């Protein structure tokens, strides 16, 4: 789906499939009686999540943010998470918008959890190869360290075969916190969910879109207390969310959701209790 331009950047939302995660884990301490009103669970208490990548193109640079969950997952893994590529794949989404894997010049991965990095590589007759042959891949230094040496609590989310080849092939650029990738493309680092997660800001002098990744995975998480049980440091996430959402209100940022199956992006303003959506792409 084509969104509004941000200065020189053409902006596209790419639907790459869906999967299902435990609703309680996604909502943390929020009771099911509240979260099921906006995120209906299945019989296994799982809720549906999208994997919506962002593509921006300035006529010279074609940047893909996130790679989806990929197509190399074992059958047991697919069943556990109800991964569904029957309607949407990254290949189809690119093709529908006039692009191919070869057109991508930059791949920015917000963090290396399996549902964000799984599409970085593909299996070519038993040999792993980079999915985007003409691209360089960008990951934060601190998240790379977290992914190579994950904590016991985080290790199930990091699958090294999704990304270790990138460094071996010399395609990986490790960036510091809050860094400039290109003119009008910068990272915004947060650490509550996992160390070194980098949100991505695409901007010019008038407009900004921010890829919210797992700081705000669903529109429901615009409410400050709604914090994932997956987050390593919920107290830090709460602090980071408040700072980020206040900036988003003050600067009228367009907030892009990776995981919300219904809402693509929103603008918000402060209300008496929470943040109120004033503009929404669905």
């Amino acid at each position: 789906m084509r969104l509004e331009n941000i200065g020189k950047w053409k902006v596209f939302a790419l639907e790459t499939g869906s999967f299902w995660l435990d609703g309680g884990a996604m909502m943390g301490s929020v009771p099911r009686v509240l979260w099921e009103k906006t995120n209906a669970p299945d019989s296994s208490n799982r809720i549906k999540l999208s994997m919506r990548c962002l593509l921006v193109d300035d006529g010279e640079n074609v940047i893909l943010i996130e790679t989806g969950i990929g197509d190399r997952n074992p059958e047991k893994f697919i069943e556990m998470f109800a991964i569904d590529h029957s309607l949407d794949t990254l290949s189809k989404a690119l093709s529908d918008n006039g692009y191919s894997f070869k057109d991508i010049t930059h791949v920015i991965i917000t963090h290396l959890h399996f549902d964000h990095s799984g599409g970085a590589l593909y299996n070519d007759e038993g040999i792993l190869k980079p999915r985007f042959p003409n691209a360089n891949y960008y990951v934060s230094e601190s998240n790379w360290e977290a992914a190579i040496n994950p904590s016991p609590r985080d290790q199930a989310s990091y699958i090294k075969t999704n990304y270790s080849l990138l460094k071996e092939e010399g395609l990986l650029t490790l960036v510091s916190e809050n860094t400039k990738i290109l003119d009008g493309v910068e990272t915004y680092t947060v650490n509550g969910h996992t160390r070194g997660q980098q949100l991505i800001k695409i901007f010019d002098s008038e407009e900004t879109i921010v890829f919210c990744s797992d700081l705000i995975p669903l529109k429901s998480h615009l409410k400050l207390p709604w914090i994932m049980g997956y987050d390593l440091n919920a107290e830090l996430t709460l602090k980071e969310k408040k700072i980020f959402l206040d900036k988003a209100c003050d600067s009228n940022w367009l907030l892009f959701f990776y995981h919300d199956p219904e809402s693509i992006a929103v603008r918000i303003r402060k209300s008496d209790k929470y943040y109120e959506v004033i503009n929404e792409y669905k």
Side-chain angles (χ1 to χ4, degrees), residues 113-180:
H113 283 173
F114 65 79
D115 53 316
H116 296 254
S117 65
L121 307 173
Y122 76 105
N123 191 323
D124 182 10
E125 297 183 354
I127 299 173
L128 278 184
K129 294 182 179 180
R131 175 63 80 182
F132 309 94
N134 300 314
N136 208 48
Y137 294 71
Y138 295 79
V139 177
S140 77
E141 293 174 334
S142 54
N143 188 249
W144 179 259
E145 289 302 316
I148 295 300
N149 300 293
S151 70
R153 185 166 172 220
D154 217 12
Q155 63 185 1
S157 297
Y158 287 114
I159 301 174
K160 293 180 183 179
T161 52
N162 282 343
Y163 45 80
S164 57
L165 180 68
L166 299 176
K167 190 170 187 179
E168 297 168 14
E169 294 286 326
L171 299 175
L172 183 68
T173 298
L174 298 179
V175 299
S176 58
E177 294 189 357
N178 304 318
T179 197
K180 173 182 172 181

Side-chain angles (χ1 to χ4, degrees), residues 241-251 268 270 275:
K241 276 179 67 174
K242 179 68 165 59
I243 293 170
F244 175 79
L245 291 173
D246 284 348
K247 287 182 179 179
C249 290
D250 293 342
S251 301
I268 59 174
K270 296 175 188 176
Y275 297 91

Side-chain angles (χ1 to χ4, degrees), residues 68-99:
I69 205 166
D71 55 9
R72 298 182 295 106
N73 301 296
E75 192 61 38
K76 184 177 179 180
F77 190 88
I78 293 171
E79 182 179 347
M80 180 187 304
F81 297 110
I83 299 170
D84 185 1
H85 287 129
S86 61
L87 296 177
D88 298 307
T89 64
L90 180 54
S91 177
K92 180 178 183 299
L94 286 168
S95 178
D96 286 349
N97 287 284
Y99 295 92

Side-chain angles (χ1 to χ4, degrees), residues 9-133:
W9 299 100
K10 294 186 290 185
V11 180
F12 301 87
L14 305 182
E15 304 290 348
T16 74
S18 64
F19 71 125
W20 294 66
L21 286 181
D22 184 84
M26 283 299 297
M27 301 304 182
S29 62
V30 179
R32 172 172 168 159
V33 69
L34 295 180
W35 60 253
E36 69 180 358
K37 295 176 182 178
T38 53
N39 301 90
D42 67 5
S43 59
S44 299
N45 202 50
R46 301 175 300 184
I47 62 173
K48 184 178 181 179
L49 303 180
S50 72
M51 293 173 285
R52 182 180 301 110
C53 300
L54 182 65
L55 183 141
V56 297
D57 178 2
D58 70 352
E60 179 180 358
N61 304 288
V62 182
I63 302 174
L64 178 68
I65 303 171
E66 233 69 309
T67 68
I69 205 166
D71 55 9
R72 298 182 295 106
N73 301 296
E75 192 61 38
K76 184 177 179 180
F77 190 88
I78 293 171
E79 182 179 347
M80 180 187 304
F81 297 110
I83 299 170
D84 185 1
H85 287 129
S86 61
L87 296 177
D88 298 307
T89 64
L90 180 54
S91 177
K92 180 178 183 299
L94 286 168
S95 178
D96 286 349
N97 287 284
Y99 295 92
S100 72
F101 294 129
K102 294 180 180 180
D103 295 323
I104 307 302
T105 60
H106 300 68
V107 177
I108 307 175
I109 303 175
T110 65
H111 62 296
L112 290 164
H113 283 173
F114 65 79
D115 53 316
H116 296 254
S117 65
L121 307 173
Y122 76 105
N123 191 323
D124 182 10
E125 297 183 354
I127 299 173
L128 278 184
K129 294 182 179 180
R131 175 63 80 182
F132 309 94

